[in-house]
Amino acid sequence: MNLYRILTEKPWQHNRLNDAGLADDAVLSLASSPQKIALMFFLGVVAVLFALFITAYVIRMELDDWRPMPESGLLWFNTLLLFLSSIVLQWTRNSLKKGLDRKLKTGLLIGALLTIGFIFGQLEVWRQMAGEGYYLYNNPANSFFYVLTGIHGLHILGGLWVWTRASFRVWSGTDPEEVRLSVELCAVYWHFLLLVWLVLFALISYT
Amino acid sequence: MAYIPIADQPSELHDPHSFITKYVWSQDHKVIAIQYACTAIFVGLIALVLSGMMRLQLGYPDTFSFIDPSNYYQFVTMHGMIMVIYLLTALFLGGFGNYLIPLQIGARDMVFPYLNMLSYWFYLLSVLILLASFFVVGGPTGAGWTLYPPQAILRGTPGADMGIVLMLVSLAVFIVAFTMGGLNYVTTVLQARTHGMTLMRMPLSVWGIFVATILGLFAFPALFVSAVMMAFDKLIGTSFFMPAIQSLGQDLGYAGGSPILFQHLFWFFGHPEVYIVALPAFGLVSDVLSTHARKNIFGYRMMVWAIVIIGALSFIVWAHHMYVSGMNPYFGFFFAFTTLIIAVPTAIKVYNWVLTLWQGNIRLTVPMLFAMGFIFTFIHGGLTGIFLGNVTVDLPLSDTYFVVAHFHMVMGVSPIMVLFAAIYHWFPKISGKMFNVTLGKIHFWATFLGTYAIYLPMHYLGFLGVPRRYYALGNTDFIPDSAMALNANITQAAIFVGIMQLVFIINIIWSLKSGPKAESNPWDATSLEWQTPDTPPVHGNWGPKLPVVYRWAYEYAVPGVKDDFVPQSVPPEEVEMEEGAGKYVDRSEEHH
């Protein structure tokens, strides 16, 4: 992809014609399928969303009524679960590439179980925090903690919904070749949400 | 080549069978475009009526018993929000984006038709939630369209109970709808172009819509974030934005929040939003001007670059909406600087439009009148923008009618002029019928002159210091009686312009029912949508074979060519020449 070449093209001249009388197809080939391009843009949107939340967090933190929350050890365990689920999905994706279809169902299942474990782990952290009297509205640090983990969790749930659709096709016996793209997109999305979580986790722990 | 299979797979097309799948749960981009447009125009008319009510109060204070201060602020708020988001954004991107992208790049549909359909239904849901707020206790929110905290969610502001909550929910749903549509538009432009349609051969309409969509995708999250946090402040009692406040001696339980933080988030969305509306308008008007002036658009490449540069700059100017919020002077200096830089690419565009007209063979059709009217109103609104971009000039003018006049000229009237130009221009293709030209011209002159009668005097009121946002001015020393008389005149003009929009509605309805049948390419235009085998285009757009593109979209008045235009899809060897003119050569070879 050569953006400069594309943007300096002179469409009123026909001097780059090939034999068929057509211009070179200087298409912007970011990815091989529309689904991948759409996912890239979607990840961009989600990245902006979290970047704005984080900016708001940092600005709000500077104000003097900020009282940091205690850190729950469970968050480390949850992080491990999400990390493993990301690895398992990557492993599934790789084995599909190599044509090892048998591992597909196992990989999808383990990945989902780990992810669901993460969700329940996060809910447990919420319960712990609320049990110790750290409610959503006590302090801006608490508010941000619940909102950030909540929004992140919702994105994970969205991923699980796509996972469910892909799995439904796998279990109904669709040709693994046809679900390869879905698995690939899921894996990328999981990595991305892991990355977002690591940033959020660092932010929450550091402050 | 990845994009051709997507665009040219008739077997994958979801041919609709029943009335329901064809017109209601439709996945056809053209039907979705019309659904978007009709819904947007419907809420737009509501917002127009609301502005008429505001003007009645301002022109004739203490006359109408059904307008009290609460109503007035509710009208102001809903008028602004509906016009900016639910009319302009939805009509440009959901309406024209949906209709034109596949047709102008030579695709059969959007790449994700199902998502496209969902996008419309989410949009409709957001509109219904918004309109529902008129019927809840306390009515819709009256916080102003910027919804600034703390007042937006405090008692005393109209609609502080349910109105503001419904507004926030509606915005969130709208953003979800926009994101689904936006991913579709971007992906379709990048992946579904037909053979030969390089990025730099796309009509400027597609460029404007494409860049505006990217802006929308990355700007709307800011509104989403602020809406979510404000909803928490309102419903759960968090203090993201809410400082410690006492109301009637009672502590409200908020502490330490930052209203300025909301303003930053809001305007980080709010300023790109101006260009989300303006860039598609720039694109559409370029195509209309070039077609009806029978001349290639002047400086096509520069036009594309200007769109891209304006889009990029629009993300670093937001705080010019906050000069009066008490910011650091260096901060203000930076934002004044970036703001004034935007004038450069914008001025390039204006010069290029004017130079496109120069020595053109101008056909004063109805769309052309609106397009030329846009050049006037946009220059006008743009120039006052340079006033307000400077901090020292903005401070005294910020709270006056000068600002109201400025933004209505630049992002109210101007985009609306383009919308009318575009609707009249593409109406024959969309409906297969011609509109009534006389009614169209009456509509143009009434709207063009009428809006000037409304907004030109407002600049003067602003210089006098007449404050905006006030329900009634009362007896104030520095506001002379003549200003009150002027206000009454503005109201008369506003009511006149509002009523004259009925001419447009009547024209559309009459033309749909009994207008003469439109030819396939009534304006002798070059771009692909005018070359479809059927008018209006049927499902799948192109019949069995996709068009192939041989040139850009602006091959007008080529010397020696029999017609004064060469469509993008006609092969060079099939171009008919005048006798003795020789073989068709393109412009560049001619100059060598």
PDB file of all heavy atoms in Angstrom, chain B residues 418-429:
ATOM      1  N   VAL B 418     -27.165  22.439   0.482  1.00  0.00           N
ATOM      2  CA  VAL B 418     -26.600  21.297  -0.238  1.00  0.00           C
ATOM      3  C   VAL B 418     -27.575  20.126  -0.239  1.00  0.00           C
ATOM      4  O   VAL B 418     -27.736  19.437  -1.250  1.00  0.00           O
ATOM      5  CB  VAL B 418     -25.260  20.874   0.383  1.00  0.00           C
ATOM      6  CG1 VAL B 418     -24.727  19.632  -0.304  1.00  0.00           C
ATOM      7  CG2 VAL B 418     -24.254  22.000   0.285  1.00  0.00           C
ATOM      8  N   LEU B 419     -28.247  19.924   0.899  1.00  0.00           N
ATOM      9  CA  LEU B 419     -29.212  18.821   0.943  1.00  0.00           C
ATOM     10  C   LEU B 419     -30.295  19.013  -0.103  1.00  0.00           C
ATOM     11  O   LEU B 419     -30.657  18.080  -0.813  1.00  0.00           O
ATOM     12  CB  LEU B 419     -29.843  18.730   2.336  1.00  0.00           C
ATOM     13  CG  LEU B 419     -29.022  17.987   3.376  1.00  0.00           C
ATOM     14  CD1 LEU B 419     -29.710  18.037   4.723  1.00  0.00           C
ATOM     15  CD2 LEU B 419     -28.806  16.544   2.957  1.00  0.00           C
ATOM     16  N   PHE B 420     -30.797  20.253  -0.216  1.00  0.00           N
ATOM     17  CA  PHE B 420     -31.819  20.481  -1.237  1.00  0.00           C
ATOM     18  C   PHE B 420     -31.231  20.305  -2.634  1.00  0.00           C
ATOM     19  O   PHE B 420     -31.850  19.677  -3.505  1.00  0.00           O
ATOM     20  CB  PHE B 420     -32.441  21.872  -1.072  1.00  0.00           C
ATOM     21  CG  PHE B 420     -33.407  21.959   0.082  1.00  0.00           C
ATOM     22  CD1 PHE B 420     -33.336  22.988   1.003  1.00  0.00           C
ATOM     23  CD2 PHE B 420     -34.398  20.994   0.235  1.00  0.00           C
ATOM     24  CE1 PHE B 420     -34.219  23.062   2.065  1.00  0.00           C
ATOM     25  CE2 PHE B 420     -35.292  21.054   1.294  1.00  0.00           C
ATOM     26  CZ  PHE B 420     -35.199  22.098   2.212  1.00  0.00           C
ATOM     27  N   ALA B 421     -30.013  20.844  -2.849  1.00  0.00           N
ATOM     28  CA  ALA B 421     -29.369  20.655  -4.147  1.00  0.00           C
ATOM     29  C   ALA B 421     -29.284  19.164  -4.454  1.00  0.00           C
ATOM     30  O   ALA B 421     -29.618  18.712  -5.554  1.00  0.00           O
ATOM     31  CB  ALA B 421     -27.969  21.281  -4.137  1.00  0.00           C
ATOM     32  N   ALA B 422     -28.840  18.390  -3.478  1.00  0.00           N
ATOM     33  CA  ALA B 422     -28.635  16.964  -3.697  1.00  0.00           C
ATOM     34  C   ALA B 422     -29.964  16.238  -3.900  1.00  0.00           C
ATOM     35  O   ALA B 422     -30.083  15.371  -4.763  1.00  0.00           O
ATOM     36  CB  ALA B 422     -27.877  16.363  -2.509  1.00  0.00           C
ATOM     37  N   ILE B 423     -30.979  16.630  -3.114  1.00  0.00           N
ATOM     38  CA  ILE B 423     -32.268  15.948  -3.275  1.00  0.00           C
ATOM     39  C   ILE B 423     -32.827  16.230  -4.670  1.00  0.00           C
ATOM     40  O   ILE B 423     -33.240  15.316  -5.384  1.00  0.00           O
ATOM     41  CB  ILE B 423     -33.262  16.399  -2.183  1.00  0.00           C
ATOM     42  CG1 ILE B 423     -32.814  15.853  -0.820  1.00  0.00           C
ATOM     43  CG2 ILE B 423     -34.665  15.907  -2.513  1.00  0.00           C
ATOM     44  CD1 ILE B 423     -33.600  16.391   0.356  1.00  0.00           C
ATOM     45  N   TYR B 424     -32.798  17.504  -5.107  1.00  0.00           N
ATOM     46  CA  TYR B 424     -33.314  17.811  -6.449  1.00  0.00           C
ATOM     47  C   TYR B 424     -32.449  17.146  -7.521  1.00  0.00           C
ATOM     48  O   TYR B 424     -32.944  16.700  -8.556  1.00  0.00           O
ATOM     49  CB  TYR B 424     -33.345  19.323  -6.669  1.00  0.00           C
ATOM     50  CG  TYR B 424     -34.493  20.028  -5.980  1.00  0.00           C
ATOM     51  CD1 TYR B 424     -34.265  20.924  -4.951  1.00  0.00           C
ATOM     52  CD2 TYR B 424     -35.810  19.811  -6.377  1.00  0.00           C
ATOM     53  CE1 TYR B 424     -35.308  21.577  -4.308  1.00  0.00           C
ATOM     54  CE2 TYR B 424     -36.859  20.455  -5.750  1.00  0.00           C
ATOM     55  CZ  TYR B 424     -36.605  21.345  -4.713  1.00  0.00           C
ATOM     56  OH  TYR B 424     -37.641  21.983  -4.089  1.00  0.00           O
ATOM     57  N   HIS B 425     -31.126  17.085  -7.280  1.00  0.00           N
ATOM     58  CA  HIS B 425     -30.227  16.528  -8.280  1.00  0.00           C
ATOM     59  C   HIS B 425     -30.460  15.030  -8.463  1.00  0.00           C
ATOM     60  O   HIS B 425     -30.533  14.537  -9.592  1.00  0.00           O
ATOM     61  CB  HIS B 425     -28.779  16.792  -7.844  1.00  0.00           C
ATOM     62  CG  HIS B 425     -27.739  16.325  -8.815  1.00  0.00           C
ATOM     63  ND1 HIS B 425     -27.455  16.988  -9.991  1.00  0.00           N
ATOM     64  CD2 HIS B 425     -26.904  15.255  -8.797  1.00  0.00           C
ATOM     65  CE1 HIS B 425     -26.482  16.359 -10.644  1.00  0.00           C
ATOM     66  NE2 HIS B 425     -26.129  15.297  -9.937  1.00  0.00           N
ATOM     67  N   TRP B 426     -30.576  14.295  -7.366  1.00  0.00           N
ATOM     68  CA  TRP B 426     -30.679  12.833  -7.469  1.00  0.00           C
ATOM     69  C   TRP B 426     -32.125  12.342  -7.465  1.00  0.00           C
ATOM     70  O   TRP B 426     -32.354  11.149  -7.654  1.00  0.00           O
ATOM     71  CB  TRP B 426     -29.862  12.162  -6.356  1.00  0.00           C
ATOM     72  CG  TRP B 426     -28.409  12.052  -6.724  1.00  0.00           C
ATOM     73  CD1 TRP B 426     -27.870  11.157  -7.615  1.00  0.00           C
ATOM     74  CD2 TRP B 426     -27.323  12.860  -6.259  1.00  0.00           C
ATOM     75  NE1 TRP B 426     -26.513  11.375  -7.736  1.00  0.00           N
ATOM     76  CE2 TRP B 426     -26.146  12.395  -6.913  1.00  0.00           C
ATOM     77  CE3 TRP B 426     -27.208  13.917  -5.376  1.00  0.00           C
ATOM     78  CZ2 TRP B 426     -24.881  12.965  -6.696  1.00  0.00           C
ATOM     79  CZ3 TRP B 426     -25.961  14.479  -5.159  1.00  0.00           C
ATOM     80  CH2 TRP B 426     -24.810  14.003  -5.813  1.00  0.00           C
ATOM     81  N   PHE B 427     -33.079  13.262  -7.231  1.00  0.00           N
ATOM     82  CA  PHE B 427     -34.480  12.834  -7.188  1.00  0.00           C
ATOM     83  C   PHE B 427     -34.894  12.040  -8.439  1.00  0.00           C
ATOM     84  O   PHE B 427     -35.531  10.996  -8.329  1.00  0.00           O
ATOM     85  CB  PHE B 427     -35.397  14.042  -6.987  1.00  0.00           C
ATOM     86  CG  PHE B 427     -36.846  13.699  -6.864  1.00  0.00           C
ATOM     87  CD1 PHE B 427     -37.352  13.207  -5.663  1.00  0.00           C
ATOM     88  CD2 PHE B 427     -37.712  13.833  -7.933  1.00  0.00           C
ATOM     89  CE1 PHE B 427     -38.686  12.873  -5.544  1.00  0.00           C
ATOM     90  CE2 PHE B 427     -39.045  13.496  -7.827  1.00  0.00           C
ATOM     91  CZ  PHE B 427     -39.533  13.016  -6.625  1.00  0.00           C
ATOM     92  N   PRO B 428     -34.531  12.496  -9.653  1.00  0.00           N
ATOM     93  CA  PRO B 428     -34.940  11.741 -10.849  1.00  0.00           C
ATOM     94  C   PRO B 428     -34.398  10.310 -10.841  1.00  0.00           C
ATOM     95  O   PRO B 428     -35.071   9.388 -11.308  1.00  0.00           O
ATOM     96  CB  PRO B 428     -34.319  12.538 -12.003  1.00  0.00           C
ATOM     97  CG  PRO B 428     -34.082  13.894 -11.464  1.00  0.00           C
ATOM     98  CD  PRO B 428     -33.803  13.725 -10.010  1.00  0.00           C
ATOM     99  N   LYS B 429     -33.187  10.120 -10.288  1.00  0.00           N
ATOM    100  CA  LYS B 429     -32.620   8.769 -10.257  1.00  0.00           C
ATOM    101  C   LYS B 429     -33.285   7.938  -9.163  1.00  0.00           C
ATOM    102  O   LYS B 429     -33.612   6.781  -9.359  1.00  0.00           O
ATOM    103  CB  LYS B 429     -31.105   8.880 -10.021  1.00  0.00           C
ATOM    104  CG  LYS B 429     -30.356   7.587  -9.941  1.00  0.00           C
ATOM    105  CD  LYS B 429     -30.569   6.667 -11.133  1.00  0.00           C
ATOM    106  CE  LYS B 429     -29.955   7.173 -12.424  1.00  0.00           C
ATOM    107  NZ  LYS B 429     -30.123   6.211 -13.544  1.00  0.00           N
TER     108      LYS B 429
END
